[in-house]
């Protein structure tokens, strides 16, 4: 079974630029999460999808972050404009039963 | 609001030692608790999941316990090996919707 795929693996941008991350969950997993993990901290949930509907986006900074999951499969997370404090690893996870399966993450550095 | 704390932040032990990692949470009304492992530059891998009705789960050399009333979970690693070196995170789900609150992890180093 293929795992959760994410791209790109690394991204360096300047502040005020925009960036987008892509996630392909494990086939058949209806629930998809985006997390932000700052160095030395645990992951913090940004948004949760059930199929193509948003379940929880209470911690998503909606003035600059957006996410979508068209057709209930792949998902994209966008930041526009980026700030220095957005430097982090962005993790995508999908769920089967009660276990979450994580992708390798996208490491973002904002200069 | 659920808060999850893991102490210590870092732990270094010689190979072969048995060790315990701690996780505490503030709201005992949890649905389940999960322990993850994270290797440098990688995503998280699920190790053990304990339902709120369970007291412990075991997988190989790993044993996780849960005491909801005291808001604590422990991860016991027997006969540690250098390959066990990683960051261990616990995550608490408050509902069956799957939203989890993570601790900041304990970074374990097992020295040969």
């Amino acid at each position: 079974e293929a795992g959760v795929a994410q791209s790109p693996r690394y991204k360096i941008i300047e502040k005020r630029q925009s960036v987008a991350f892509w996630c392909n969950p494990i086939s058949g997993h209806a629930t998809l999460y985006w997390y932000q993990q700052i160095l030395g901290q645990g992951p913090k949930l940004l948004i949760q999808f059930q199929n193509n509907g948003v379940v929880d986006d209470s911690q998503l900074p909606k003035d600059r972050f957006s996410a979508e999951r068209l057709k209930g499969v792949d998902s994209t997370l966008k930041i526009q404009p980026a700030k220095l404090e957005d430097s982090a690893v962005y993790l995508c996870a999908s769920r089967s039963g009660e276990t979450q399966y994580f992708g390798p993450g996208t490491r973002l550095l904002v200069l | 609001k659920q808060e999850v704390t893991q102490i210590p932040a870092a732990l270094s032990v010689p190979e072969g030692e048995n060790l315990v990692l701690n996780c505490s949470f503030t709201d005992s009304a949890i649905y389940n608790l999960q322990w993850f492992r994270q290797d440098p530059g990688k995503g998280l891998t699920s190790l053990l999941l304990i339902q709120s009705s369970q007291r412990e789960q075991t997988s190989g050399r790993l044993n996780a316990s849960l005491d909801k009333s005291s808001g604590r979970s422990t991860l016991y690693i027997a006969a540690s090996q250098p390959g066990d070196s990683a960051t261990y995170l616990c995550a608490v789900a408050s509902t069956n919707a799957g939203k989890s609150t993570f601790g900041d992890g304990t970074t374990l180093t097992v020295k040969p």
Side-chain angles (χ1 to χ4, degrees), chain A residues 24-94:
Chain A
N24 187 315
I26 294 173
S27 178
H29 287 194
T31 306
L32 184 148
Y33 308 84
W34 282 101
Y35 290 90
Q36 180 193 59
Q37 186 176 26
I38 293 172
L39 186 64
Q41 299 181 16
K44 183 185 80 172
L45 180 69
L46 293 174
I47 190 167
Q48 176 184 346
F49 290 95
Q50 181 72 19
N51 295 308
N52 61 346
V54 175
V55 174
D56 187 339
D57 63 356
S58 57
Q59 297 191 80
L60 186 73
K62 298 180 185 66
D63 58 335
R64 298 184 301 106
F65 286 64
S66 64
E68 62 182 9
R69 191 183 183 197
L70 299 176
K71 301 181 181 178
V73 182
D74 294 5
S75 178
T76 56
L77 176 69
K78 297 179 181 178
I79 307 175
Q80 182 178 11
K83 293 185 175 182
L84 297 177
E85 58 261 36
D86 298 332
S87 294
V89 176
Y90 291 84
L91 295 164
C92 178
S94 63

Side-chain angles (χ1 to χ4, degrees), chain B residues 3 17 26-27 35-36 40 43 65 76 83 85 89 93 98 108 112:
Chain B
E3 293 183 3
E17 261 199 19
T26 54
D27 185 351
W35 283 93
F36 291 87
S65 68
Y76 174 83
S85 297
L89 299 113
L108 172 66

Side-chain angles (χ1 to χ4, degrees), chain B residues 4 6 20-21 38 58 60 62 68 70 80 83 89 93 97 105 108 110:
Chain B
V4 180
Q6 292 186 248
V20 174
L21 305 180
Q38 186 172 31
T58 298
L62 305 180
K68 276 200 318 177
S70 66
S80 58
L89 299 113
L108 172 66
V110 181

Side-chain angles (χ1 to χ4, degrees), chain B residues 37-65:
Chain B
R37 168 185 174 138
Q38 186 172 31
D39 292 286
K42 303 286 181 63
L44 282 68
T45 300
S46 178
L47 297 174
L48 290 165
L49 184 147
I50 310 177
Q51 300 289 356
S52 62
S53 58
Q54 297 176 319
R55 294 298 300 268
E56 64 180 303
Q57 281 286 341
T58 298
S59 176
R61 295 183 293 109
L62 305 180
N63 176 278
S65 68

